[in-house]
Amino acid sequence: MADNEGIDLDDQTHHDQELTDSYAHLAPTDHGRQANLVLLGCSLLQLPVWGFPISYGVFQENYASSTTDLKGNISSTGIIGTTLNGIIYLSMPVLFGLFTNKYAHYRRHAGAMGIVLLVGSLVLSSFAKEVWQLILTQGVLQALGSTLLFSSSTIYLDEWFVRRKGFAYGVMLSVKSAVGAGTPLLFGYLISKLGLRNTLRIWSAIALASSAPALFLLRPRLELSRDDRRTRRLSWRFLRHPTFYVFQASNIIFSASYGMPQTYLSSFAATILRFSAFNSALVLAGLNAPSILASFWFGLLSDGKTIWPRSRPLSISMISLLSAIGACLPVFLLWGPAANPSAEGIVLVALFAAFYGFFAGGYSAIWGGIVKELRREAEYHNEPVDTALIFGLLNGGRGIGYVAGGFVGIQLLKEGAVNSSQWAYGTKYGSLILFTGIGATLGGASVILHSRRLFQSGRP
């Protein structure tokens, strides 16, 4: 069977007669020195790529303060975070497709250009005097640099990990979660001590120091010439089947709701619970910290590991349902009933951040399992498949969700309370909280694919 999986070549493809003799002794997938170095490099790049986007809420809170010296409509700084994340995610399907195939030989150049744009945009933003300059540098240029760096580098991970793809993505996303837990505290501390502009300059230096060495750890598993890449087309046959659409729809809806706590939980803590700026940043860090373990755990589940000994592996649809239900319950049972600057409200928000952060934060770690599921389906139908392209499309779906959620969040804040209770439902965040819970629940809708088969079997 011809598994035309682009640069994701397993042991069977070694015997493919289309490969020349120079490809007969490829390094093994999933294990070995170079595979581990690629995993290390991709993990290190999570710091410069995601440190600022994940923690933008800390900067937004300071931009909106009365002490800022920026000129222009200060409320417009709210679109920087949405624009930044939106461009990063929405660009990924295109870039993953290009760097998988036609322009694969430009990956290293793209990574270097991404570093230049990323670091340069941060330095320029530290000198911004007007709001539009911040939007251009932090929202647009930084996004282009981040997505160039992330897309060109992550494809290496897809090459080197086949059977343990969920594990590899889980490790990488665990590091991303660790970045999300640590950088809000780091930024909050630096801003309080050194100010916004110096913080941006220090972060640009950190981004350069962490990204440049990581880029040298990345090596392709299979070197193909420019002509070799251009003679092969990407496979889009997976779009003929409903499986991708169901997973993608669930992914988009879940992502739209996931952006709400990421964007507004620190503001909720500051305005409703009257937290200080540092404690508000601490809440955001507490939301991201549990996903360090969750990403790794959900990644292992996606590779077929069991929840407990002697149990059978869960299908990827059931794993997504587990993440979705685990995320929606804390919204309705913990965040919704929390309000007022009381000990009870503080405890409920802390518990919400921990439980929601774990189950919602681990949702993207199941993408490795979704990719493998679509690959199995392609094998069953004797069709080629490009797994890096699918991963890029899933990231694009998350981008659609983030952007849509950004606009929805603005309207939900205008709608305000859903009732007149003393709980959080009765505050201006009430409608937003309700949307977050419903969106999390619908994130498990892919279970309809396997409604008659709850556990894995040999057929897709």
Side-chain angles (χ1 to χ4, degrees):
M1 196 207 81
D3 186 311
N4 195 10
E5 201 171 327
I7 56 177
D8 182 12
L9 302 173
D10 57 18
D11 295 335
Q12 292 181 348
T13 48
H14 293 179
H15 300 90
D16 193 333
Q17 295 182 357
E18 295 180 359
L19 295 177
T20 62
D21 292 339
S22 60
Y23 303 148
H25 301 290
L26 291 175
T29 59
D30 301 298
H31 299 280
R33 178 176 177 272
Q34 189 54 55
N36 291 330
L37 286 177
V38 168
L39 178 57
L40 175 61
C42 289
S43 298
L44 289 175
L45 288 174
Q46 303 309 298
L47 179 65
V49 170
W50 297 110
F52 189 93
I54 289 177
S55 309
Y56 177 72
V58 178
F59 288 89
Q60 167 63 20
E61 186 175 343
N62 283 271
Y63 289 147
S65 68
S66 58
T67 58
T68 184
D69 59 351
L70 290 170
K71 299 178 181 178
N73 184 4
I74 298 300
S75 62
S76 297
T77 57
I79 70 172
I80 293 176
T82 301
T83 302
L84 175 58
N85 283 286
I87 291 177
I88 290 176
Y89 282 110
L90 292 176
S91 299
M92 286 185 190
V94 176
L95 293 178
F96 269 87
L98 293 176
F99 294 138
T100 293
N101 204 36
K102 187 174 182 180
Y103 296 104
H105 52 287
Y106 285 127
R107 279 189 222 154
R108 188 167 295 278
H109 298 85
M113 179 58 68
I115 293 174
V116 171
L117 282 174
L118 172 61
V119 174
S121 64
L122 288 167
V123 174
L124 288 174
S125 71
S126 71
F127 294 97
K129 299 295 184 181
E130 299 188 22
V131 172
W132 71 266
Q133 295 170 342
L134 279 181
I135 296 174
L136 176 62
T137 53
Q138 294 181 358
V140 179
L141 293 180
Q142 184 183 185
L144 293 176
S146 296
T147 193
L148 275 174
L149 183 57
F150 182 82
S151 300
S152 61
S153 61
T154 306
I155 293 177
Y156 291 113
L157 196 68
D158 189 77
E159 285 186 14
W160 285 95
F161 288 86
V162 180
R163 290 176 295 277
R164 301 174 72 210
K165 200 180 294 290
F167 162 79
Y169 285 141
V171 170
M172 183 181 72
L173 292 171
S174 291
V175 176
K176 177 184 175 182
S177 298
V179 169
T183 50
L185 300 179
L186 174 63
F187 288 140
Y189 174 80
L190 290 176
I191 290 172
S192 65
K193 298 297 183 181
L194 303 175
L196 277 166
R197 299 185 186 280
N198 286 329
T199 297
L200 289 168
R201 292 160 192 163
I202 291 173
W203 180 247
S204 67
I206 294 174
L208 178 61
S210 57
S211 58
L215 200 62
F216 286 99
L217 297 176
L218 306 179
R219 293 289 184 275
R221 182 164 176 261
L222 176 61
E223 290 282 5
L224 292 181
S225 69
R226 181 182 305 185
D227 292 335
D228 290 331
R229 290 292 184 183
R230 288 180 175 176
T231 57
R232 186 187 162 281
R233 295 182 178 179
L234 291 171
S235 173
W236 297 92
R237 296 187 186 180
F238 62 91
L239 296 179
R240 300 177 180 179
H241 311 293
T243 306
F244 172 78
Y245 298 102
V246 175
F247 277 117
Q248 183 71 304
S250 302
N251 176 43
I252 291 172
I253 296 172
F254 190 93
S255 299
S257 65
Y258 181 65
M260 301 303 173
Q262 289 285 337
T263 304
Y264 295 106
L265 186 61
S266 59
S267 297
F268 174 86
T271 58
I272 304 301
L273 301 181
R274 300 176 187 173
F275 278 21
S276 65
F278 177 79
N279 287 335
S280 297
L282 190 63
V283 170
L284 187 59
L287 186 69
N288 290 307
S291 58
I292 299 173
L293 177 61
S295 295
F296 182 72
W297 187 62
F298 277 102
L300 291 179
L301 290 181
S302 299
D303 278 341
K305 301 298 182 182
T306 58
I307 295 180
W308 54 81
R310 298 183 181 181
S311 63
R312 289 186 292 177
L314 294 174
S315 70
I316 190 62
S317 294
M318 288 301 295
I319 296 171
S320 69
L321 181 64
L322 174 64
S323 175
I325 296 301
C328 78
L329 290 179
V331 176
F332 292 127
L333 301 180
L334 296 173
W335 193 11
N340 301 321
S342 63
E344 180 183 358
I346 295 172
V347 170
L348 288 175
V349 167
L351 290 174
F352 163 74
F355 284 101
Y356 183 85
F358 182 87
F359 287 99
Y363 190 86
S364 57
I366 71 175
W367 289 354
I370 294 175
V371 168
K372 291 170 68 175
E373 178 77 6
L374 291 170
R375 181 188 175 194
R376 282 193 292 267
E377 184 175 69
E379 290 175 344
Y380 178 76
H381 293 287
N382 196 29
E383 296 173 349
V385 63
D386 292 279
T387 55
L389 173 63
I390 295 173
F391 185 76
L393 290 172
L394 291 172
N395 276 284
R398 167 154 283 201
I400 294 173
Y402 273 161
V403 173
F407 288 105
V408 170
I410 294 173
Q411 296 302 316
L412 290 174
L413 281 179
K414 293 179 179 179
E415 292 294 328
V418 296
N419 55 38
S420 58
S421 71
Q422 298 299 312
W423 291 356
Y425 293 119
T427 69
K428 67 176 183 178
Y429 297 93
S431 298
L432 188 146
I433 293 171
L434 185 62
F435 176 83
T436 302
I438 294 174
T441 305
L442 295 177
S446 60
V447 74
I448 65 175
L449 289 170
H450 293 185
S451 58
R452 296 183 180 180
R453 179 173 54 85
L454 301 183
F455 299 95
Q456 289 179 333
S457 64
R459 293 170 61 97

